[in-house]
Amino acid sequence: DAIDAVWRATARALVPGAWLTTGTIAVDGAEAPAAIARFRSAIWGGGVRRAPDVIAALERAGFRDARAMPSPGMVPILARRG
């Protein structure tokens, strides 16, 4: 997957212990804002990636302490290079 390759390259580029800030706009829920966010994520390319999916990908790439931060709308995600 191209996104996994990007996360691996990003991890290699960062010094050990450095933090990465990323995020996702795909949120769960049946309400209109959540559905619109998932639609927007899909049409912008890359598919619908929810926070747990992004966190799993970051961990596969060698990041540690990956976590989503509570936020309405976009979900900020922080991860530290291992």
Side-chain angles (χ1 to χ4, degrees), residues 14-76:
L14 294 172
V15 298
W19 285 91
L20 169 74
T21 303
T22 188
T24 181
I25 60 170
V27 294
D28 291 324
E31 301 82 19
I36 291 168
R38 289 190 303 275
F39 174 73
R40 188 179 316 140
S41 183
I43 63 171
W44 283 354
V48 176
R49 295 179 192 272
R50 291 176 174 82
D53 303 324
V54 174
I55 290 169
L58 290 168
E59 290 171 344
R60 284 193 305 273
F63 286 92
R64 296 183 301 167
D65 304 323
R67 60 185 173 268
M69 308 302 289
S71 174
M74 181 181 171
V75 179

